[in-house]
Amino acid sequence: MGPGQGICWTIRIENALLWGAPLKATDISNPDYFHKVVDCQWACPAHTPVPEYIRLIAERRYTDAYMINWQSNVFPGILGRTCDRPCEPACRRGRVEDEPVAICRLKRVAADNKTDISARLPKVAPRNGRKVACVGAGPASLTVARDLAPLGYEIHIYDGDKKAGGMIRSQIPRFRLPESVIDEEVGYITGLGPIMHLQQPIDSLKSLLAEGYDAIFVGTGAPRGRDLDLPGRKEAAANIHIGIDWLANVSFEHVKKIGRRVIVLGGGNTAMDCCRTSRRLGGDDVKVIVRSGFEEMKASPWEKEDAMGEDIPILNYLVPKEFTHREGKLTGVSFEKVKAEYDAKGRRKLVPTGEPDQHFECDDVLVAVGQENAFPWIERDIGMEFDKWNMPVVDEVTLQCSIPNVFFGGDAAFGPKNIIWAVAHGHAAAVSIDKHLNGEDVAERPAPNVTIVSQKMGIHEWSYDNDVANDQRYKVAHREKSVALKDVNAEVELGFDQTIGFKEAQRCLNCDVQTVFNAATCIECDACVDICPMDCITFTMNGDEADLRTRLKAPATNATQDIYIGDGLETGRIMAKDEDVCLHCGLCAERCPTGAWDMQKYLIDMTYAGHACRQTA
Amino acid sequence: MTYILKPKLHHPSLPTNALGLTRRDYEGKVSTLCAGCGHDSISSAIISASFELALQPHRLAKMSGIGCSSKTPDYFLGQGHGFNSVHGRMPSVLTGANLANRDLIYLGVSGDGDSASIGLGQFAHSIRRGVNMTYIVENNGVYGLTKGQFSATSDKGSKSKKGVVNSESGIDLVALALQLGATYVARSFSGDKEQLVPLIKGALSHHGPAFIDVISPCVAFNNHAGSTKSFDYVREHNEAVNRLDVILGRAPITATYAPGEVREVTQHDGSVLRLRKLHADYDPTDRIAAANYLQEHHAKGEVVTGLLYLDPDATDLHDRLGTTATPLNALGTDQLTPGSAALAKINAGLR
Ligand SMILES: Cc1cc2nc3c(=O)[nH]c(=O)nc-3n(C[C@H](O)[C@H](O)[C@H](O)COP(=O)(O)OP(=O)(O)OC[C@H]3O[C@@H](n4cnc5c(N)ncnc54)[C@H](O)[C@@H]3O)c2cc1C
Ligand SMILES: Cc1ncc(C[n+]2csc(CCOP(=O)(O)OP(=O)(O)O)c2C)c(N)n1
Ligand code: SF4
Ligand code: SF4
Ligand code: SF4
Ligand SMILES: [Mg+2]
């Protein structure tokens, strides 16, 4: 009896009749495919090669780990303390157990333990005759300078403040980020020779354009704090402060104390910094009061946790109505009580509960209800297109505006975000500027640089540590509260020491060490299916994706994660691997008798400004 | 083999059975067999079958002889009992254990060398005595552990890895088991768990001698062209007569079948074996017809698989000997050694 009559073949014929459009074999030559599998790196706006630096930390190669970060996110010491860490909710470890890898705090381990890096900083090429102006000295502009200065561009950075750093310096409280770290990392960039024009705010883009710069980068941030125009605002003005202005005044030591009873209005990270700073400047009865529910607050969970840990209650569903005052002095704030109601479409509305208003007494109020962009210094008659919200029209990929040699980035581009986005924009804008000034189309973006290396060293030996650690996430030690609350400059988090840094690093699953399948050598013995601890691998008949996802050894319910398809097998089945919860443990490759699975490191590096980003490279 | 332990982490949606255990709880040590060995797939099928039956792991007694196949009880149900006997002696050790404690579930795991060569006599007698057990032969046609000599189940005319043709007739253990009175007889393939897992479940819930011959390719010594026990050969010549579903008391019957397509058999313990026919004229309760069918198809070079014979009213050795229902280890000393008066009475009865 020949092929066509055996059991497997019978299933194949039935299958062709039963199921819809079959899936195509996965194209792993597309760099995005395996990049997506490295969830943390994919989620990082700057695409930091996270597992690569985490492995270096485990090897105690801190300086190497630092430089990988420095290359991609420019401010490892700063970000290791303050990053919004979009990588962590994305981390695969968080899907196979409770908590993700403490990626952000590991970055700090690299920064804290590195040795002198001066010899590793880029050499600055001779000037290439092009001049670029950066308006604002925040992380976005500094990144542009970092990428372009070494290529020989003459960079001019303008800022109204006395020191460079933008909101990193003016807003983020010192107890979260010591000034020495800012000085160090900003210093690496100013050391590359950009010409610093500090205390020189730009008040006209028109005149700046007239100065003959080849390109201009606008990185002025979102400097305007929203106010609350409620009854009593004017009368009690002396004790009502705009949060971000007040924080800047604290950072620059213009403000050194606050009243005993403080109310912070708003539920974002600025509110959290305001209340914690208040606790250190004499506030011993500090509350945060928010309109929405506690869960919906914009502040990161860990910032809320830290605030509550410093005895700051967060009261929710209270909408501020009036600032009360007596004899020209603030006495408190009254609030309307509301509750959340959902309409048929599931949209939330806050409706009054009908209960009497609630009044809280206080000595000072900090208003932290949002930030806005403002471009009073950009003339509207210079040919720049503005949208209906009176914001410049900026391309999300190239960061170019309608004036071809003017680029935006950071909070100035699309409203307030965070440092890592400012850095990502800075890199992208630097690529655009470099291409534009070399006569290339900025819309043609460079592909990332991918290095593929098999990790096989022997039958059971890999050049990465494939044993999966069972440890739960480690907590970062904090300075004792009574000490921390006495000094606004005393850093609260103490960071991981080297031992805990090593253990936490071992929790990383090495998601960049990819499982690469070769159907031509597979004999369909099932060894990989049997050994896989996560039931990732299935050999089955092809089908459309929705159907296939239900037929795998474990159902693939996370649609954001791809199914890796290999076809061309002898029985006509396909290999389907759900990438979702793969531990990258390499057991499939160890148990495969024919080497049809291999563990290969896909090191994906973004392409930065310079030769590599140009077609004519 | 693998140097790292299989990580403890498992799929977040991994189901639990009636005992609250996951399939992973039925695993054993990490296998030391060659990567890709069919025997590992059989271990995995035993794990799945035990999980699905919600067997209490400590109620399983895993007995084996010598060979790669006989090593495998270490790789599943780590919390079960185990006895690794000398070469070919698993059946008598199993028989003894069963006589002493009929409360355990006996799973004998053996190889074609262990059962068809040195242990052929033991195999034959354990079956004809009707020991209540599941007897699995992981049949790769070679002595895997001793580096690939032809075993007695190797087909005449099949080629060794070095190209030598086997000139001796092969023993068909299924044919022997049928003749010797096994009451549950099946053949399957390590590469087809959809078929194998239900067959193991059926055997474990069968009361009587259940025998399963599982063709299990040896990737190191018997998976080449010219072998009749290779993945490719078995896949191409596999002729399944039926598909089995084992339905435990609780599960409702949901699928619908055309009349005549399905045959249901209720076993002693209330479990229902539902057979979907793949060959209209195959009757798994007719022992003689089954034996004939096997011979005919074997002559055509086909590998007949499925549940080949079943006697739902089977009895076992204990039933026939009328032994005590209580395991010996639960009897008191006075019952086990009733004393000289009782002996005198027996002796008197024999005078
Ligand atoms: C209280 C607070 C806490 C924050 N905490 C965090 C945090 O923990 N982690 C995080 O990732 N992000 C945080 N952020 C957000 C983060 O600081 C910003 O997203 C980021 O700094 C934006 O970078 P940027 O380069 O776009 O602009 P900015 O950092 O805002 O820098 C803009 C610079 O431009 C200058 N400037 C403005 N207008 C002109 C002009 N006309 N001429 C010359 N110079 C000008 C300003 O003086 C400023 O120095 C926080 C923000 C606030 C307000
Ligand atoms: C009494 C005795 N004789 C011979 C041997 C050598 N020996 C070890 S394993 C084996 C054959 C095993 O073959 P099989 O049962 O088919 O197991 P496999 O390794 O193929 O799974 C032999 C002959 C032995 N261990 N003991
Ligand atoms: S486990 Fe490691 S590589 Fe994987 S997503 Fe988390 S940090 Fe990134
Ligand atoms: S690396 Fe292989 S064996 Fe390990 S979890 Fe991923 S697919 Fe499974
Ligand atoms: S272990 Fe290797 S040969 Fe066997 S099924 Fe998996 S990929 Fe194929
Ligand atoms: Mg054998």
Side-chain angles (χ1 to χ4, degrees):
Chain A
M1 188 184 97
Q5 284 153 292
I7 180 65
C8 303
W9 312 92
T10 320
I11 297 175
R12 175 154 70 163
I13 294 157
E14 279 171 15
N15 169 66
L17 304 173
L18 276 175
W19 287 305
L23 288 167
K24 292 217 169 61
T26 301
D27 175 14
I28 60 168
S29 67
N30 174 358
D32 279 357
Y33 181 76
F34 281 141
H35 190 171
K36 274 201 251 174
V37 174
V38 198
D39 289 289
C40 49
Q41 184 175 2
W42 183 252
C44 173
H47 302 305
T48 305
V50 175
E52 178 74 357
Y53 83 69
I54 291 184
R55 276 190 298 272
L56 291 170
I57 291 171
E59 288 174 41
R60 294 185 161 77
R61 287 168 59 188
Y62 303 113
T63 314
D64 293 332
Y66 183 85
M67 290 315 291
I68 287 185
N69 276 288
W70 191 78
Q71 178 63 35
S72 44
N73 55 53
V74 189
F75 303 104
I78 292 169
L79 287 164
R81 294 168 165 85
T82 62
C83 189
D84 257 358
R85 17 174 162 153
C87 53
E88 291 191 14
C91 170
R92 173 164 283 109
R93 185 98 198 182
R95 297 198 295 273
V96 301
E97 62 168 41
D98 302 345
E99 296 242 43
V101 174
I103 302 171
C104 183
R105 282 358 182 207
L106 285 171
K107 203 189 298 298
R108 174 171 171 183
V109 172
D112 287 354
N113 293 286
K114 67 180 183 306
T115 53
D116 182 15
I117 64 156
S118 43
R120 302 196 186 205
L121 293 171
K123 303 281 167 291
V124 177
R127 287 273 151 87
N128 64 12
R130 308 299 182 89
K131 290 201 319 180
V132 177
C134 294
V135 190
S141 285
L142 291 172
T143 301
V144 172
R146 205 283 309 260
D147 286 359
L148 294 183
L151 305 176
Y153 289 93
E154 184 178 312
I155 310 290
H156 292 260
I157 302 181
Y158 292 89
D159 201 298
D161 287 345
K162 234 196 251 173
K163 287 184 179 173
M167 288 194 169
I168 290 176
R169 197 183 290 275
S170 64
Q171 295 293 319
I172 299 182
R174 301 286 185 259
F175 59 83
R176 287 208 285 126
L177 177 61
E179 189 154 29
S180 58
V181 180
I182 309 176
D183 288 341
E184 177 193 330
E185 292 190 333
V186 169
Y188 293 139
I189 299 166
T190 54
L192 298 172
I195 297 150
M196 304 301 291
H197 305 270
L198 297 171
Q199 288 181 287
Q200 288 184 48
I202 298 297
D203 55 14
S204 160
L205 182 57
K206 198 182 211 165
S207 14
L208 192 66
L209 281 164
E211 284 179 37
Y213 287 105
D214 295 290
I216 292 175
F217 176 78
V218 179
T220 49
R224 186 181 287 169
R226 283 208 195 101
D227 203 348
L228 272 182
D229 192 16
L230 300 175
R233 174 68 181 92
K234 280 197 195 69
E235 294 83 341
N239 293 93
I240 300 172
H241 320 276
I242 300 294
I244 66 167
D245 298 341
W246 182 79
L247 285 170
N249 282 328
V250 174
S251 289
F252 298 140
E253 298 184 342
H254 303 147
V255 165
K256 294 202 166 113
K257 57 177 191 297
I258 195 157
R260 197 182 64 76
R261 298 167 306 167
V262 182
I263 291 178
V264 177
L265 299 174
N269 289 336
T270 303
M272 298 302 112
D273 282 343
C274 284
C275 66
R276 295 181 68 196
T277 303
S278 300
R279 284 287 278 131
R280 288 160 171 82
L281 297 186
D284 64 11
D285 171 7
V286 181
K287 327 179 165 49
V288 174
I289 304 186
V290 296
R291 299 161 52 95
S292 63
F294 180 83
E295 299 302 329
E296 300 157 73
M297 288 169 61
K298 286 216 184 90
S300 321
W302 55 89
E303 301 229 40
K304 295 198 270 187
E305 214 175 278
D306 288 344
M308 293 185 298
E310 293 178 357
D311 313 315
I312 301 166
I314 300 177
L315 312 178
N316 64 357
Y317 291 124
L318 292 167
V319 178
K321 243 177 124 173
E322 185 185 354
F323 298 107
T324 57
H325 50 91
R326 197 180 318 120
E327 293 155 13
K329 196 167 170 2
L330 178 78
T331 54
V333 189
S334 56
F335 295 87
E336 179 175 51
K337 289 184 137 186
V338 293
K339 59 182 180 199
E341 263 179 19
Y342 297 87
D343 66 11
K345 284 191 181 140
R347 275 178 311 208
R348 192 216 56 176
K349 242 183 28 195
L350 292 175
V351 296
T353 61
E355 292 166 82
D357 289 350
Q358 216 171 343
H359 182 260
F360 294 94
E361 292 185 357
C362 69
D363 304 313
D364 281 287
V365 168
L366 295 171
V367 181
V369 295
Q371 270 167 267
E372 289 167 347
N373 297 72
F375 299 101
W377 56 281
I378 300 183
E379 295 81 352
R380 307 295 140 125
D381 62 352
I382 55 172
M384 191 184 291
E385 198 186 324
F386 281 76
D387 64 17
K388 59 181 172 188
W389 299 281
N390 205 17
M391 287 294 126
V393 177
V394 177
D395 185 281
E396 282 194 26
V397 177
T398 66
L399 298 157
Q400 196 176 37
C401 74
S402 58
I403 304 178
N405 65 337
V406 178
F407 301 83
F408 282 72
D411 290 357
F414 313 106
K417 288 194 172 164
N418 53 35
I419 304 169
I420 192 66
W421 268 111
V423 169
H425 288 164
H427 286 313
V431 166
S432 294
I433 293 170
D434 190 46
K435 286 175 81 81
H436 182 69
L437 298 186
N438 283 285
E440 290 191 9
D441 182 358
V442 295
E444 303 267 350
R445 305 308 287 183
N449 177 38
V450 186
T451 339
I452 306 165
V453 189
S454 172
Q455 300 294 290
K456 201 173 177 74
M457 307 236 298
I459 300 178
H460 315 291
E461 252 178 299
W462 303 97
S463 40
Y464 73 109
D465 187 350
N466 62 322
D467 205 353
V468 176
N470 289 319
D471 303 23
Q472 297 282 323
R473 182 181 170 116
Y474 289 90
K475 283 205 161 54
V476 179
H478 280 199
R479 191 180 300 278
E480 207 211 310
K481 193 161 84 181
S482 59
V483 180
L485 289 181
K486 282 202 185 96
D487 180 1
V488 75
N489 294 321
E491 191 175 16
V492 173
E493 286 195 8
L494 302 176
F496 290 143
D497 62 19
Q498 295 194 0
T499 311
I500 298 189
F502 170 78
K503 290 186 182 167
E504 184 63 32
Q506 289 296 89
R507 296 182 68 238
C508 173
L509 299 172
N510 303 289
C511 300
D512 59 344
V513 180
Q514 305 290 351
T515 55
V516 179
F517 180 71
N518 177 15
T521 49
C522 172
I523 57 168
E524 299 174 68
C525 68
D526 268 6
C528 53
V529 177
D530 293 337
I531 195 75
C532 177
M534 305 306 281
D535 296 326
C536 299
I537 305 170
T538 310
F539 287 85
T540 185
M541 304 317 294
N542 206 340
D544 65 47
E545 185 171 341
D547 158 61
L548 183 71
R549 281 178 174 272
T550 63
R551 288 192 283 118
L552 301 182
K553 193 168 179 216
T557 49
N558 182 355
T560 66
Q561 292 282 319
D562 285 326
I563 308 285
Y564 181 2
I565 305 288
D567 68 4
L569 295 170
E570 196 69 33
T571 58
R573 300 181 296 176
I574 53 163
M575 184 293 299
K577 182 201 160 203
D578 183 4
E579 299 282 11
D580 188 16
V581 290
C582 167
L583 302 175
H584 298 257
C585 64
L587 287 178
C588 48
E590 281 191 29
R591 297 302 294 172
C592 178
T594 67
W597 284 111
D598 190 23
M599 303 307 292
Q600 298 180 359
K601 183 165 91 181
Y602 272 60
L603 186 57
I604 297 163
D605 253 320
M606 299 327 277
T607 300
Y608 301 104
H611 283 294
C613 85
R614 298 177 215 143
Q615 273 116 341
T616 51
Chain B
M1 72 170 281
T2 305
Y3 290 138
I4 66 165
L5 293 180
K6 190 163 169 173
K8 286 204 178 67
L9 295 168
H10 60 67
H11 196 279
S13 73
L14 191 65
T16 51
N17 63 15
L19 298 175
L21 300 177
T22 70
R23 194 183 72 242
R24 297 287 305 277
D25 295 323
Y26 288 82
E27 289 178 350
K29 295 211 184 97
V30 172
S31 168
T32 59
L33 302 184
C34 301
C37 178
H39 298 352
D40 282 336
S41 288
I42 302 172
S43 297
S44 167
I46 293 170
I47 288 169
S48 294
S50 308
F51 162 75
E52 288 173 23
L53 289 174
L55 282 189
Q56 290 174 297
H58 67 273
R59 287 204 53 230
L60 194 82
K62 311 173 289 182
M63 320 297 282
S64 66
I66 296 293
C68 297
S69 35
S70 295
K71 286 172 72 178
T72 64
D74 208 18
Y75 316 142
F76 56 82
L77 280 100
Q79 301 173 70
H81 303 277
F83 194 107
N84 199 194
S85 80
V86 287
H87 203 14
R89 268 55 180 172
M90 177 276 282
S92 45
V93 178
L94 190 153
T95 305
N98 183 307
L99 280 171
N101 183 351
R102 61 199 279 180
D103 271 2
L104 297 179
I105 297 163
Y106 290 90
L107 172 62
V109 175
S110 178
D112 42 323
D114 198 55
S115 282
S117 297
I118 191 167
L120 188 62
Q122 299 244 330
F123 161 81
H125 290 290
S126 68
I127 289 189
R128 58 170 279 283
R129 283 183 182 133
V131 180
N132 182 11
M133 64 182 171
T134 297
Y135 192 132
I136 294 178
V137 166
E138 305 190 342
N139 187 351
N140 54 16
V142 287
Y143 297 170
L145 193 68
T146 55
K147 302 225 171 309
Q149 301 83 353
F150 281 127
S151 78
T153 65
S154 198
D155 289 307
K156 191 172 185 173
S158 75
K159 267 201 199 122
S160 76
K161 199 174 179 181
K162 286 254 166 78
V164 179
V165 175
N166 181 22
S167 54
E168 292 161 11
S169 331
I171 294 176
D172 183 349
L173 290 172
V174 161
L176 276 183
L178 276 173
Q179 193 278 321
L180 292 165
T183 48
Y184 181 108
V185 180
R187 179 177 281 136
S188 189
F189 170 42
S190 67
D192 184 1
K193 287 201 200 69
E194 277 174 49
Q195 182 190 52
L196 179 56
V197 172
L199 287 174
I200 297 174
K201 281 164 74 178
L204 287 170
S205 47
H206 180 74
H207 178 78
F211 175 74
I212 312 178
D213 178 36
V214 188
I215 318 271
S216 173
C218 170
V219 281
F221 301 111
N222 205 7
N223 191 35
H224 44 266
S227 158
T228 57
K229 301 276 193 287
S230 68
F231 281 108
D232 286 349
Y233 184 91
V234 182
R235 283 202 173 104
E236 275 181 29
H237 299 80
N238 191 337
E239 190 61 25
V241 292
N242 49 31
R243 285 265 149 183
L244 175 66
D245 294 319
V246 178
I247 295 140
L248 299 176
R250 311 176 281 139
I253 293 166
T254 48
T256 50
Y257 301 96
E261 193 193 346
V262 163
R263 172 145 187 199
E264 282 186 1
V265 187
T266 307
Q267 297 204 98
H268 265 308
D269 67 344
S271 60
V272 177
L273 303 186
R274 183 186 302 151
L275 285 159
R276 277 172 291 147
K277 289 189 181 176
L278 297 177
H279 282 241
D281 53 349
Y282 193 84
D283 176 2
T285 55
D286 183 340
R287 193 151 64 96
I288 293 166
N292 286 338
Y293 189 95
L294 276 172
Q295 294 289 327
E296 282 163 24
H297 288 259
H298 184 252
K300 288 193 251 171
E302 291 170 7
V303 182
V304 175
T305 60
L307 179 52
L308 305 173
Y309 174 67
L310 171 68
D311 174 2
D313 303 316
T315 55
D316 84 331
L317 182 58
H318 286 284
D319 301 331
R320 293 172 211 166
L321 295 181
T323 51
T324 166
T326 315
L328 302 190
N329 63 8
L331 293 175
T333 321
D334 51 339
Q335 287 160 295
L336 288 170
T337 47
S340 47
L343 180 63
K345 206 172 155 196
I346 291 169
N347 284 342
L350 296 171
R351 287 224 168 82

